[in-house]
Amino acid sequence: MTYELYYWPGIQGRGEFVRLVLEEAGAEYVDFAKHKDGSEVAVRELMRVLHDTATPSPPLMPPVLKAGSLLIAQTANILMYLGAHHALAPADEAGRLWTHQLQLTIADWVVEIHDAHHPLGGAFYYEDQKPEAARRAALLRDQRLPKFMGYFETVLGRNRSPSGLLVGNSLTYPDLSLFQVLAGLRYAFPRAMARLEPDYPGLVRLYAEVSARPRIAAYLASDRRLPFNEHGLFRHYPELDP
Amino acid sequence: MTYELYYWPGIQGRGEFVRLVLEEAGAEYVDFAKHKDGSEVAVRELMRVLHDTATPSPPLMPPVLKAGSLLIAQTANILMYLGAHHALAPADEAGRLWTHQLQLTIADWVVEIHDAHHPLGGAFYYEDQKPEAARRAALLRDQRLPKFMGYFETVLGRNRSPSGLLVGNSLTYPDLSLFQVLAGLRYAFPRAMARLEPDYPGLVRLYAEVSARPRIAAYLASDRRLPFNEHGLFRHYPELDP
């Protein structure tokens, strides 16, 4: 089966969490966000899926994955599906729930990272909420990054396997998402991360291990990996990273 | 099996989404947030679970459900578990994914509702972010509530069953959560909701149907149902609902 991924063109965004799983799985997929006919067609294809009045399960927001007759939205939900079908999650109930719990905690973290540059919501530009963003970003740097990073460091330490991964012996989908969050934070907050990272050696190791996996390394080196930019979740505004 | 629920005392918060499922399921549970020895003990019990160094699957934030040997966190994850065990979700993969997708979309909505009174994050009091909250609440009232309400109205309309519910013929866990969001919005934004609701008759009907279910009606009439207040997710600040 060839999957179809629908997302906004030009940014990694939440689509990137899905792409990393598809790449690690070696899955066949068509990425409609990178449509050969350009961004306008990519957006039109996305709108076609979001507004298809024939589907009984309409998505509200992208990313959306078409998997045969299934149309799946919500990043963590898509990853749960792919994890189950590509051996990137445990098969037993306890393991599946724990893996998904970690993914949902990463999703909470991502919302907080996004809100650091958009505390008043997505309807206003960053330029229209700079003082508010400065206050919220300080909170993110000083309190929330240590909280989440400390939590995932604890999780890595509790794993009875010496894999260096979040769950058991082998890679699961939240490992890929945690790599992506760390990559995004290094881009957006290089100074804060340089200060913080020495306290979280497990996270640094996980980042290195994930990025060295053959399929992930090949993906990151390819032109399929879009660069980070100031339109996505992880934005580098130097004034937010003093 | 008797479940154990751990959450902050004194508020409905995200714990309420779990309580509604437990009540509808007729499940036995001990609600440690309402500990007979008071709030201090409730918080101590919650901290005991969050900081238990013996657990291989530590939760970052409440609510937390103890189900036999399982310790489950993240509201949507707890509901997925309970839905599967108490016939409050479809058994087939497509149905499970669709149900969970709806729950995760409700979770996104809840974050936006919370952020209307706390756009700068939870570390500052509402009183320290009132102008920012006014801007964000206007966005919520004018754009985001119609977007989410319109979406769920569409979902209800697409259901091929005439059940008036979100998924198929019978109640699923996102029906209970959607009821709770509507209840919270009626409390927090009574004026905005009075203006909006006539456009969403399916939501109004779902609210009425869920609240009339015998177990839910009994729960809502009991002292187990905490009142809404200005410490939870849904807060009534008249200046945010002009």
Side-chain angles (χ1 to χ4, degrees):
Chain A
M1 177 171 60
T2 300
Y3 296 110
E4 296 176 7
L5 174 64
Y6 296 88
Y7 194 63
W8 300 111
I11 59 169
Q12 293 186 12
R14 287 185 170 79
E16 198 67 10
F17 297 102
V18 181
R19 290 187 187 110
L20 286 167
V21 175
L22 291 166
E23 294 283 343
E24 174 62 27
E28 298 268 331
Y29 72 104
V30 179
D31 190 339
F32 280 81
K34 300 166 185 165
H35 199 284
K36 64 174 171 45
D37 294 334
S39 295
E40 270 184 52
V41 179
V43 171
R44 201 187 312 148
E45 290 290 332
L46 172 60
M47 292 303 139
R48 177 177 60 76
V49 166
L50 292 181
H51 300 129
D52 174 9
T53 55
T55 176
S57 59
L60 179 58
M61 289 172 287
V64 178
L65 186 77
K66 198 164 183 310
S69 64
L70 291 176
L71 196 67
I72 313 169
Q74 284 286 345
T75 309
N77 201 42
I78 296 171
L79 268 51
M80 182 168 66
Y81 169 83
L82 290 173
H85 288 262
H86 296 279
L88 289 168
D92 66 297
E93 181 178 47
R96 279 189 284 115
L97 289 165
W98 171 232
T99 303
H100 199 53
Q101 179 177 322
L102 292 171
Q103 187 64 41
L104 292 172
T105 305
I106 291 171
D108 286 346
W109 191 7
V110 167
V111 170
E112 295 201 21
I113 294 166
H114 171 270
D115 287 358
H117 55 73
H118 271 75
L120 300 187
F124 304 109
Y125 288 110
Y126 169 66
E127 287 66 27
D128 296 327
Q129 48 187 299
K130 285 178 76 165
E132 295 83 3
R135 282 177 73 184
R136 179 113 193 203
L139 176 68
L140 181 78
R141 294 190 312 268
D142 299 341
Q143 294 183 33
R144 304 304 289 174
L145 293 187
K147 184 180 176 80
F148 281 97
M149 293 174 78
Y151 173 71
F152 284 103
E153 187 77 14
T154 297
V155 169
L156 290 168
R158 295 276 173 91
N159 189 351
R160 286 177 195 133
S161 156
S163 63
L165 301 166
L166 289 168
V167 182
N169 287 315
S170 59
L171 193 85
T172 59
Y173 59 87
D175 289 316
L176 295 165
S177 294
L178 184 53
F179 157 79
Q180 172 67 7
V181 172
L182 295 171
L185 288 173
R186 284 182 177 187
Y187 171 80
F189 299 96
R191 289 159 179 264
M193 288 298 278
R195 287 191 300 272
L196 287 166
E197 283 194 14
D199 290 336
Y200 307 100
L203 294 182
V204 173
R205 202 159 49 235
L206 179 131
Y207 177 95
E209 296 224 350
V210 169
S211 54
R213 292 179 75 89
R215 285 170 173 165
I216 297 297
Y219 171 64
L220 296 176
S222 75
D223 61 5
R224 299 195 301 289
R225 173 77 165 184
L226 298 170
F228 288 107
N229 61 37
E230 279 56 71
H231 303 283
L233 292 169
F234 301 99
R235 303 187 186 190
H236 179 56
Y237 296 124
E239 62 273 23
L240 299 185
D241 184 39
Chain B
M1 178 171 60
T2 301
Y3 295 110
E4 296 177 7
L5 175 63
Y6 295 88
Y7 194 64
W8 299 111
I11 59 169
Q12 294 186 12
R14 287 185 170 80
E16 198 67 11
F17 297 102
V18 181
R19 291 188 186 108
L20 286 166
V21 175
L22 291 167
E23 294 282 344
E24 174 62 27
E28 299 267 333
Y29 71 105
V30 179
D31 190 338
F32 280 81
K34 300 167 185 164
H35 200 283
K36 64 175 172 42
D37 295 333
S39 295
E40 271 184 52
V41 180
V43 171
R44 200 186 313 148
E45 290 289 333
L46 172 60
M47 292 303 139
R48 178 177 59 76
V49 166
L50 292 181
H51 300 130
D52 174 8
T53 55
T55 177
S57 59
L60 180 59
M61 290 173 284
V64 178
L65 186 77
K66 198 165 182 310
S69 64
L70 291 176
L71 195 67
I72 313 169
Q74 284 287 346
T75 310
N77 201 43
I78 296 171
L79 267 51
M80 183 169 64
Y81 169 84
L82 290 173
H85 288 262
H86 295 279
L88 290 167
D92 66 297
E93 180 178 47
R96 280 189 283 115
L97 289 165
W98 172 231
T99 303
H100 198 54
Q101 178 177 323
L102 292 172
Q103 187 64 40
L104 292 173
T105 304
I106 292 171
D108 285 345
W109 191 7
V110 168
V111 170
E112 296 201 20
I113 295 166
H114 170 269
D115 287 357
H117 56 72
H118 270 75
L120 300 187
F124 305 109
Y125 289 110
Y126 168 65
E127 286 67 26
D128 296 327
Q129 48 185 298
K130 286 178 75 165
E132 295 82 4
R135 280 177 74 185
R136 178 111 194 204
L139 176 67
L140 181 79
R141 294 191 311 269
D142 298 342
Q143 294 182 34
R144 304 305 289 177
L145 293 187
K147 183 177 177 81
F148 281 97
M149 292 173 78
Y151 173 70
F152 285 103
E153 187 78 15
T154 297
V155 170
L156 290 167
R158 293 277 173 91
N159 188 351
R160 287 178 193 131
S161 155
S163 63
L165 301 166
L166 289 168
V167 182
N169 287 315
S170 60
L171 193 84
T172 59
Y173 58 88
D175 289 316
L176 295 165
S177 295
L178 184 53
F179 157 79
Q180 173 66 7
V181 171
L182 294 171
L185 288 172
R186 284 181 177 188
Y187 171 79
F189 299 96
R191 289 159 181 263
M193 288 298 278
R195 288 191 300 271
L196 286 165
E197 283 193 16
D199 290 335
Y200 307 101
L203 294 182
V204 174
R205 200 160 52 236
L206 178 131
Y207 177 95
E209 296 225 348
V210 169
S211 54
R213 292 178 75 89
R215 286 171 172 163
I216 296 297
Y219 171 65
L220 296 176
S222 76
D223 60 6
R224 297 194 303 287
R225 173 78 165 182
L226 298 171
F228 287 108
N229 61 37
E230 280 56 62
H231 303 282
L233 292 168
F234 301 100
R235 304 188 186 189
H236 178 56
Y237 295 125
E239 63 273 23
L240 299 185
D241 184 38

